[in-house]
Amino acid sequence: MPFAIAVLVVVIELSPAHFLYTGPLLTATPALAAVAMGPKGTFAAAAFALAISVTTATYNQMWGSQQVYTNFLALFLVSAASVTTSSAVHTHRQNELNQIRRIAVAAQRVLLRPVPDRLGPVRAASMYIAAETGAEIGGDLYEVLQTRYGVRMIVGDVRGKGLPAVRSAAAVLGAFREAVHYEEDLVEVINHCAAALRRERAMPRGIDQGAEEDQSESFVTALVAQVPDGPVVEFVNRGHLPPLVLSEGKVQAVMPASPLPPLGLEEFITGPPAKAESHPFACGDRLLLYTDGVTEARNSEKKFFALPEAMEALNDRTPPEFLEQLHQVLVRHTQGHLADDVAMILVDRLDEELDK
């Protein structure tokens, strides 16, 4: 808008029928720029208005008139005030943004804690990538904990976005962190997570939350895994993507023998009671748990990201190096435009010598 006004002034001043004195219009340009363009934009608008004033005064042979000098004085005063105000507002907004980001980082560290490098018989690493620029947390979740039953982990994806998704993720993670230390059966662990999600959905909301997403239709895809002392890994999959196991240079997706619906959709469970399923996981093998932000990432040709091939190509990296380079490959694949959040856990079964 400020520059459009300046162009309008040029058109009027240079027209054969000069019917309007445009000085007050130019005075408004730095004031309008200060609203949304920041200090640099405001300064540029003021400089542009000054250049137009000089040009039009010369073209119309107005130098020496009281009108021109009054216009320059007004333009100078408004420009100085606008630049000063814009700078102060910009600094205030930046301080507020920095504070919000610090709060978001603290919330992320509580909700999604970094995974220790070493837990019992495994070496691990985790990564969370928010799709929205500047965001820190979302609806994806993960956790890895060492318990008396072995190393237990969860990865999940909440349907929906915003605060309702964060609340659901927090409820599931809280239940998991408590149940893994007391429940021997993995099925009971994930049942605790489902119960916590039901309680979260049934909790009444305040008036200020009335416009948020209806939680009665939300669900969470989740995968719970356990690495005991033996050369196996156990899974309970509730509607989540199959984990990938890299063994002897080849990647295999571990599909559930009896598929189960996500958490929050227990009414669709039929058949015999669920059981944990086992898969070989020997020394030197690698396990990757992930969310659909990885596999559904597309490039400019609408091709999905080939995760198994990328996992095989990065086989010789340590867990932190693997996730960091996988992140770089994913960003290159999508040209830096992730459509969904990404959560990943990578676990290596240590060699027997290191395990001792």
Side-chain angles (χ1 to χ4, degrees):
M1 180 63 72
F3 293 98
I5 292 176
V7 172
L8 177 62
V9 168
V10 172
V11 173
I12 295 174
E13 290 288 342
L14 301 184
S15 64
H18 186 191
F19 60 91
L20 180 67
Y21 175 58
T22 58
L25 294 179
L26 284 175
T27 304
T29 56
L32 291 174
V35 175
M37 298 182 64
K40 293 182 179 179
T42 304
F43 184 80
F48 190 44
L50 178 61
I52 291 176
S53 295
V54 172
T55 302
T56 56
T58 303
Y59 178 79
N60 293 316
Q61 299 180 358
M62 295 291 292
W63 290 107
S65 67
Q66 184 179 8
Q67 211 172 40
V68 168
Y69 294 118
T70 302
N71 178 45
F72 275 113
L73 178 61
L75 182 60
F76 172 77
L77 293 176
V78 173
S79 298
S82 298
V83 171
T84 302
T85 302
S86 178
S87 179
V89 170
H90 177 75
T91 301
H92 178 69
R93 289 177 178 174
Q94 189 63 44
N95 290 338
E96 286 186 336
L97 179 59
N98 292 338
Q99 183 180 11
I100 292 172
R101 285 176 174 170
R102 287 194 296 269
I103 294 172
V105 169
Q108 183 190 39
R109 290 175 179 173
V110 173
L111 185 61
L112 301 175
R113 300 179 297 200
V115 173
D117 294 336
R118 173 73 185 272
L119 298 99
V122 303
R123 184 175 287 119
S126 63
M127 176 172 286
Y128 179 83
I129 309 168
E132 185 177 354
T133 303
E136 296 289 345
I137 55 178
D140 287 6
L141 59 98
Y142 69 83
E143 181 62 286
V144 182
L145 295 170
Q146 186 173 3
T147 72
R148 54 181 170 172
Y149 309 109
V151 177
R152 290 179 161 182
M153 61 201 84
I154 185 174
V155 66
D157 190 354
V158 182
R159 173 191 175 272
K161 302 289 184 182
L163 288 178
V166 175
R167 285 198 300 266
S168 296
V172 172
L173 280 175
F176 174 81
R177 288 166 178 164
E178 181 71 15
V180 288
H181 295 288
Y182 301 102
E183 295 292 346
E184 182 177 3
D185 190 351
L186 274 185
V187 175
E188 290 302 317
V189 171
I190 206 163
N191 286 343
H192 278 281
C193 297
L197 180 63
R198 288 195 299 271
R199 292 192 297 269
E200 166 61 28
R201 293 194 307 179
M203 186 177 300
R205 303 298 174 198
I207 297 177
D208 59 332
Q209 299 170 341
E212 292 182 355
E213 180 181 347
D214 183 8
Q215 290 295 282
S216 62
E217 298 181 358
S218 67
F219 59 84
V220 180
T221 65
L223 173 70
V224 174
Q226 173 176 291
V227 180
D229 292 334
V232 297
V233 58
E234 300 172 354
F235 300 106
V236 177
N237 193 335
R238 292 292 299 270
H240 198 72
L241 297 168
L244 300 180
V245 175
L246 177 64
S247 180
E248 297 180 352
K250 298 297 182 181
V251 173
Q252 179 182 357
V254 184
M255 305 299 297
S258 301
L260 296 171
L263 307 181
L265 301 178
E266 282 71 29
E267 61 270 22
F268 296 105
I269 296 180
T270 58
K275 294 182 179 179
E277 302 177 10
S278 297
H279 186 83
F281 192 54
C283 295
D285 289 352
R286 170 167 283 182
L287 170 68
L288 178 64
L289 311 182
Y290 55 95
T291 57
D292 59 6
V294 183
T295 54
E296 294 184 2
R298 301 193 188 197
N299 60 11
S300 57
E301 299 176 354
K302 303 300 181 182
K303 292 183 179 179
F304 291 109
F305 182 68
L307 181 57
E309 288 80 356
M311 190 174 179
E312 292 178 358
L314 301 174
N315 183 26
D316 58 341
R317 305 323 195 260
T318 65
E321 293 173 347
F322 172 89
L323 291 182
E324 182 58 37
Q325 295 195 24
L326 182 62
H327 177 206
Q328 296 175 9
V329 174
L330 186 62
V331 169
R332 287 196 298 269
H333 177 79
T334 60
Q335 287 82 46
H337 301 290
L338 286 174
D340 198 1
D341 296 345
V342 169
M344 294 182 286
I345 298 173
L346 187 71
V347 173
D348 285 355
R349 186 66 165 85
L350 295 176
D351 294 335
E352 294 181 357
E353 292 77 7
L354 294 176
D355 194 10
K356 295 178 182 179

